[in-house]
Amino acid sequence: MSNRDTVVVTGHQSEEKQNRIRAAAGERARVEFVSSLEDARDLLPEATAIAGGAPQGTLASAPNVRWVHSWAAGPDADLTDEVLHSDVILTSSVGNGAIPLAEHSMMLMLMLNREAMRWIEAQRNKRWDRFTHAELNGLTLGIFGVGHAGTDLAAKAKAFHMRVLGCRRRPEIAVPNVDEMFSLDRLHEFLAQSDVVVVTAPRTPLTAGVFNDAAFAAMKDTAHFICISRGGIADDDALLRALQDGTIAGAGIDAHGIEPLPEDSPFWGAPNTIVTPHNGATTAATASRGFEIFIGNVERFVQGKDLSNVVDKVAGY
């Protein structure tokens, strides 16, 4: 490691945050703040770290970069061919939005389970509409991708007296509050037992398009599908068919295949479907936790220590 690193930080940072980043870097690194990498062309040749991602072509202009940090929890957009085929360490903000994503999942579960849109419509029309609704107690929740958000969701679901199943790439790793773990090759068995399926997994080559016609056909026709992590894990056409023909009972979609969701998208009016604008983790606390992850890594980087939240480039997260 050189005696003095150059850390280029992109995006708007308040004066308070800038001071904290400089303090974390200390005398061992020079920190430069830019709105975007377009404004950092003169800095790239000497940069040793970049915060905010490195679009394709960046590393060709920054031969000394050893570390790239993504402000996002899901690093799929930052896994460019250039980064994949380099020795550059990529870190992410994974885990920063786990708590609000789990809360958002519970909100969507409750709204779908209790037909909350019916109450909202009745209120809009000033109509007193009482009906017999369901409850989450005793239902089985299937969590696809039991990482940070999935783990927090499992704990919340247990508080609602639900049975919790998990499906992940490494099912041998035990997770608190998960009653049974399934491998990806047992996906349909996992789906067949679930009353609610929540996708909290990152989008990777292994998960892209996993929820296809066959997957939705494996679900109960009374089951709800919820996606709060990344679009594209469910095939949009297959999901729409499942909703329209009653293969599943409804959906809560925060992460979409195309974002922003186009005005002419059929998902806006899909049967028993709640659409939110990839907004589940947009909280001040999420941003704060992400910033703390970065601050910790700045300190480790200048001290030559191993970084946290390192992305497995092969696995994709």
Side-chain angles (χ1 to χ4, degrees):
M1 178 179 290
S2 64
N3 290 330
R4 189 165 168 82
D5 287 292
T6 298
V7 179
V8 177
V9 180
T10 66
H12 173 72
Q13 306 296 332
S14 66
E15 183 177 351
E16 178 186 357
K17 287 184 175 180
Q18 290 187 22
N19 290 336
R20 285 201 59 198
I21 295 169
R22 289 193 184 98
E27 296 298 322
R28 301 189 187 188
R30 161 194 174 199
V31 183
E32 296 287 347
F33 298 95
V34 294
S35 58
S36 70
L37 287 180
E38 287 294 314
D39 302 320
R41 291 178 181 176
D42 293 341
L43 297 171
L44 291 180
E46 52 194 291
T48 54
I50 299 173
Q56 185 70 22
T58 301
L59 298 186
S61 303
N64 297 310
V65 166
R66 302 192 306 278
W67 169 39
V68 172
H69 179 72
S70 171
W71 297 125
D76 42 307
D78 298 297
L79 283 168
T80 62
D81 287 340
E82 197 174 43
V83 169
L84 282 170
H85 297 101
S86 74
D87 294 327
V88 169
I89 295 172
L90 175 65
T91 61
S92 74
S93 303
V94 66
N96 65 332
I99 292 170
L101 285 176
E103 291 179 356
H104 202 74
S105 300
M106 293 304 306
M107 178 193 75
L108 292 172
M109 266 195 277
L110 285 164
M111 289 182 73
L112 289 165
N113 178 264
R114 297 202 170 209
E115 299 180 61
M117 298 303 285
R118 178 171 167 177
W119 281 322
I120 292 170
E121 183 64 21
Q123 180 178 344
R124 184 177 292 118
N125 291 291
K126 302 177 183 179
R127 186 177 68 251
W128 191 259
D129 183 18
R130 297 182 77 246
F131 57 92
T132 300
H133 53 75
E135 56 187 44
L136 294 180
N137 176 61
L139 297 185
T140 296
L141 166 64
I143 304 173
F144 181 77
V146 194
H148 294 277
T151 299
D152 196 69
L153 175 58
K156 288 176 168 61
K158 277 299 178 184
F160 281 76
H161 313 295
M162 300 181 78
R163 176 177 176 237
V164 180
L165 309 179
C167 184
R168 64 186 298 181
R169 184 171 65 96
R170 298 184 62 188
E172 70 277 7
I173 300 175
V175 176
N177 301 301
V178 175
D179 297 297
E180 185 177 356
M181 194 72 76
F182 293 75
S183 57
L184 294 179
D185 60 3
R186 297 176 63 200
L187 173 65
H188 288 192
E189 181 184 351
F190 158 82
L191 295 175
Q193 295 186 43
S194 302
D195 296 298
V196 185
V197 175
V198 178
V199 176
T200 65
R203 180 179 177 177
T204 71
L206 272 179
T207 63
V210 160
F211 283 84
N212 53 21
D213 288 311
F216 288 117
M219 291 174 61
K220 300 177 182 180
D221 60 8
T222 54
H224 293 127
F225 174 81
I226 294 171
C227 184
I228 50 91
S229 56
R230 281 290 183 270
I233 297 173
D235 177 272
D236 279 353
D237 292 336
L239 174 55
L240 192 61
R241 281 191 290 269
L243 290 166
Q244 290 176 336
D245 64 19
T247 300
I248 61 174
I253 315 170
D254 189 51
H256 309 267
I258 300 174
E259 295 183 353
L261 195 64
E263 288 185 14
D264 62 353
S265 171
F267 281 109
W268 292 111
N272 201 25
T273 297
I274 300 171
V275 169
T276 56
H278 208 147
N279 209 189
T282 314
T283 70
T286 293
S288 178
R289 284 185 290 264
F291 182 73
E292 294 304 324
I293 290 168
F294 175 62
I295 284 289
N297 269 341
V298 171
E299 294 175 348
R300 294 182 187 93
F301 180 71
V302 299
Q303 294 170 19
K305 296 180 179 179
D306 291 340
L307 302 179
S308 66
N309 279 31
V310 174
V311 174
D312 182 332
K313 296 180 185 179
V314 176
Y317 60 92

